[in-house]
Amino acid sequence: MHILDTEGLTRRFPTVTALDQLTVTAGPGVTGLVGANGAGKSTLIKILLGLLPPTAGGARVLGLDVTTRGAEIRRLVGYMPEHDCLPPDVSATELVVHLARMSGLPRTAARERAADVLRHVGLAEERYRAVGGYSTGMKQRVKLAQALVHDPKLILLDEPTNGLDPRGRDEMLTLIRRIGTEFGISVLVTSHLLGELERVCDHVIVIDAGRLLRSSAIGEFTQATQSVTVEVDEGTGPLAERLTGLGHAVTPHGRLLLVKATGPETFDAIRDAAADLGLCLIRLERGRHRIEDVFREEVESVV
Amino acid sequence: MSSEIYDIGYRHYDGPRLGPGHSTRALAVHSLRGVFGLGRTARSKIMPFSLAAVMLLPAIVSIAMMAMMGRRGMPYSGFAVFMQPVLAIFLASQAPTVVAPDLRFRVLPLYLSRPVTITQYVGAKVAAMTAAMSLLVAAPVTLIYVGELVIDLDGPPQTKEYLGALVTGLLLSLLLSSVGLAIASLTPRRGLGVASVIAVYLLSSASVPIVYSTLASTGNDAGARWAWLLNPFWLVDAVQVWLFGTTPNAEGEYPAGPYCGLVVVALIAVGLAALALRYRKAASR
């Protein structure tokens, strides 16, 4: 079953075309939506929420058409905006309870759910204090909590790691992964940083200037490459010479050597060469594609 | 320690999900509490509650007059007109708290990404402000009525006048709220909203004597009557005169009742339409 699917989806604004003939599907789990700023990510989210009508084409979320059944979609979906959206003078608890009621939860259920999700996103005692005094990380957690409070089938997270320090970013990504796996809620998460989606997504959609560049499972992005990374303590030069002499393709990469692997014998050759030269072998690692590399290649091939 | 908090499993919600009526009501109650600063800091309660207290003072004086001198103080029909500066200050100071924060802090998308429409949102906000304003009018008027019943003056109690004042108060509140909120919603800044609403009220009431005397001095008495309608309080009083046959609270007469009623309805419609347009624009950002 598709969590969302679009068919020739186009949205034009007076001066720009935000989405151009986008046809894409996403299944359950965590889906990353990657694109530079202005690639059309936020426009796509607004269309998926049924808040912005498409100029042409169509889209469905959880099997519901966005143009005709927007209200039903908004009942089943949670949304975390990119920008600040929290009034400073109310507490996190009060805000999340109120928004749960806006989603149709009765008063007692809203209170219970709000306490639950605030705990899940990691807000403890501070949830009774006014949001105005919160750090960026805590505000992001409140924004995530309000998107989860009505137990949606799908949540749309627009740049959830924006403005977070590395540690906050890590915690947010871990949380997103948990939501997609343990909580059993499908996630569509946007980012302009590709590296961070690698960790949490099952599937990645790459868009640029409103057009689909690529949509595939994360494994296809990060499959093993042909190169082996070698790190030795000292004597990088002699090792490179020895390996080149044995007929291997070697590229120096800072303190590392990248050796093109032709088969298991390459690894043997590296090991033997290091032993012969009496070098201290620190690392021997199979290279993997990073989605950044894939993205760069795709953009280059398009341009 | 945080890992302990995390280790409680996620529970799904399979209870009832109520319809749009429930969320609209919840939003209206939430906004009404906001008008009086309930659930907010102590500072945000000062203004609404002190103004509400000021509204009760004439009621207490009226009751004292009935009890000690055996005669009525202020007529029910004149209460809102007499207290208009207090009501106007209340409107100016509290209308921005109903609309400004959601615009300023961009909370609106959190509502609109839920099953809440712009119509429901605006409806709930207007309902909340109307309820707050009519509470402000109804509480002292009711106090006077209860006082009248307890003191038991000569002659029958003025039940019809009392009920008329309540209905008129509701109409006045609806008019003030829809126009006041529309003005306040034009700016996301609270202070500016307060200033705009009070400025519009001052302009409307200051223009009454100017227009009236200008027209009266040229002998155009029929035209001069229309000047009263520039101020919302006299406008609604004119409707009260028409609907309940009370004596006008202005010097001189009002234009024919149906026209006044029409003006009130038109102004409310303009206020609501402006609000709807304002939020449609805010939502598309």
Side-chain angles (χ1 to χ4, degrees):
Chain A
M1 184 210 157
H2 291 314
I3 288 300
L4 63 93
D5 62 287
T6 71
E7 182 72 48
L9 188 65
T10 303
R11 172 69 208 194
R12 276 187 282 272
F13 291 107
T15 51
V16 285
T17 300
L19 290 175
D20 193 1
Q21 294 287 326
L22 187 71
T23 302
V24 74
T25 59
V30 183
T31 304
L33 178 63
V34 183
N37 291 333
K41 293 173 301 205
S42 298
T43 305
L44 179 60
I45 285 188
K46 277 191 186 149
I47 291 179
L48 294 177
L49 282 167
L51 297 174
L52 193 68
T55 314
R60 286 186 304 163
V61 175
L62 304 165
L64 303 166
D65 192 290
V66 293
T67 45
T68 53
R69 302 176 76 181
E72 278 170 83
I73 292 174
R74 291 192 288 275
R75 197 166 280 281
L76 298 170
V77 170
Y79 168 52
M80 172 177 174
E82 178 183 359
H83 54 75
D84 285 340
C85 56
L86 306 175
D89 58 341
V90 293
S91 69
T93 300
E94 204 181 331
L95 180 73
V96 176
V97 169
H98 174 60
L99 289 169
R101 300 200 66 198
M102 292 301 103
S103 286
L105 269 60
R107 190 197 301 270
T108 3
R111 285 190 190 290
E112 283 170 19
R113 287 284 313 168
D116 261 18
V117 291
L118 283 168
R119 202 178 54 217
H120 280 298
V121 300
L123 282 176
E125 288 309 307
E126 55 268 46
R127 66 178 186 267
Y128 300 111
R129 281 192 298 149
V131 175
Y134 283 17
S135 68
T136 309
M138 284 157 71
K139 283 182 183 162
Q140 291 297 87
R141 285 161 194 260
V142 179
K143 282 163 65 179
L144 182 62
Q146 66 78 30
L148 282 173
V149 71
H150 52 297
D151 190 27
K153 298 263 182 296
L154 164 72
I155 52 173
L156 308 174
L157 310 178
D158 202 350
E159 305 271 359
T161 55
N162 230 1
L164 296 180
D165 59 23
R167 180 152 166 260
R169 192 175 287 262
D170 264 4
E171 288 173 351
M172 178 58 76
L173 290 171
T174 310
L175 202 50
I176 292 170
R177 186 68 208 161
R178 274 168 50 92
I179 292 168
T181 51
E182 282 172 50
F183 295 13
I185 297 171
S186 292
V187 181
L188 179 73
V189 49
T190 77
S191 178
H192 56 271
L193 295 170
L194 300 138
E196 60 180 36
L197 291 184
E198 220 164 40
R199 274 183 44 198
V200 297
C201 294
D202 304 310
H203 190 99
V204 173
I205 297 169
V206 185
I207 60 172
D208 187 53
R211 277 192 301 261
L212 181 67
L213 281 190
R214 181 159 179 181
S215 168
S216 45
I218 193 76
E220 291 174 40
F221 277 100
T222 56
Q223 55 194 208
T225 59
Q226 296 278 289
S227 71
V228 180
T229 305
V230 184
E231 184 179 352
V232 286
D233 202 10
E234 273 170 353
T236 312
L239 181 62
E241 270 169 42
R242 171 73 68 96
L243 289 171
T244 316
L246 289 169
H248 293 283
V250 181
T251 343
H253 193 270
R255 292 179 51 245
L256 309 173
L257 290 178
L258 297 179
V259 184
K260 191 163 191 295
T262 46
E265 61 274 16
T266 311
F267 293 92
D268 294 343
I270 296 169
R271 180 200 59 203
D272 295 343
D276 284 351
L277 293 167
L279 300 176
C280 179
L281 185 58
I282 294 171
R283 180 148 64 123
L284 189 59
E285 187 188 21
R286 189 109 204 218
R288 284 192 168 274
H289 267 307
R290 302 186 64 83
I291 42 184
E292 267 107 334
D293 307 333
V294 180
F295 184 63
R296 201 176 302 123
E297 287 158 23
E298 308 255 354
V299 172
E300 277 161 9
S301 69
V302 165
V303 171
Chain B
M1 190 188 137
S2 63
S3 65
E4 282 171 37
I5 297 173
Y6 276 22
D7 279 343
I8 303 162
Y10 182 78
R11 286 182 296 170
H12 284 282
Y13 174 74
D14 44 18
R17 291 171 194 263
L18 307 171
H22 163 264
S23 11
T24 313
R25 257 196 320 279
L27 177 56
V29 172
H30 180 83
S31 308
L32 179 59
R33 285 170 52 86
V35 173
F36 287 102
L38 301 173
R40 304 285 161 89
T41 55
R43 221 184 62 195
S44 44
K45 295 181 182 71
I46 297 174
M47 197 65 179
F49 277 99
S50 48
L51 288 173
V54 172
M55 287 298 287
L56 288 175
L57 289 180
I60 293 164
V61 173
S62 269
I63 293 172
M65 279 174 74
M66 286 191 283
M68 293 189 281
M69 294 183 258
R71 62 186 184 87
R72 293 178 190 284
M74 196 185 299
Y76 292 112
S77 66
F79 191 83
V81 174
F82 181 74
M83 294 303 285
Q84 57 171 289
V86 183
L87 287 169
I89 293 171
F90 185 84
L91 178 71
S93 70
Q94 300 313 110
T97 62
V98 178
V99 287
D102 285 357
L103 290 169
R104 179 165 179 200
F105 303 110
R106 303 178 73 186
V107 192
L108 205 55
L110 299 188
Y111 286 100
L112 299 180
S113 62
R114 299 186 143 73
V116 177
T117 63
I118 291 178
T119 315
Q120 286 159 12
Y121 179 88
V122 170
K125 293 289 178 182
V126 172
M129 194 67 217
T130 305
M133 298 284 306
S134 29
L135 263 177
L136 224 60
V137 177
V141 171
T142 305
L143 195 63
I144 299 175
Y145 184 67
V146 170
E148 176 178 341
L149 292 184
V150 171
I151 293 162
D152 198 15
L153 289 181
D154 297 339
Q158 296 184 327
T159 309
K160 187 170 166 275
E161 284 78 2
Y162 162 66
L163 293 176
L166 288 189
V167 173
T168 313
L170 191 62
L171 184 68
L172 176 69
S173 305
L174 180 59
L175 172 68
L176 292 176
S177 303
S178 43
V179 175
L181 287 180
I183 296 169
S185 75
L186 293 179
T187 166
R189 311 209 53 104
R190 200 173 155 266
L192 219 55
V194 173
S196 329
V197 175
I198 205 76
V200 170
Y201 166 70
L202 287 178
L203 268 176
S204 82
S205 54
S207 59
V208 171
I210 300 171
V211 175
Y212 187 89
S213 56
T214 312
L215 290 173
S217 66
T218 57
N220 188 353
D221 281 339
R225 291 177 185 179
W226 287 87
W228 293 111
L229 306 194
L230 289 170
N231 175 305
F233 294 90
W234 279 305
L235 172 60
V236 174
D237 188 43
V239 175
Q240 180 173 238
V241 170
W242 170 47
L243 289 179
F244 301 103
T246 52
T247 39
N249 288 292
E251 302 125 35
E253 279 178 61
Y254 294 123
Y259 294 116
C260 306
L262 218 60
V263 174
V264 171
V265 172
L267 281 177
I268 291 172
V270 167
L272 294 178
L275 271 173
L277 278 177
R278 171 72 182 97
Y279 278 95
R280 225 162 281 280
K281 187 167 163 261
S284 68
R285 267 198 310 155

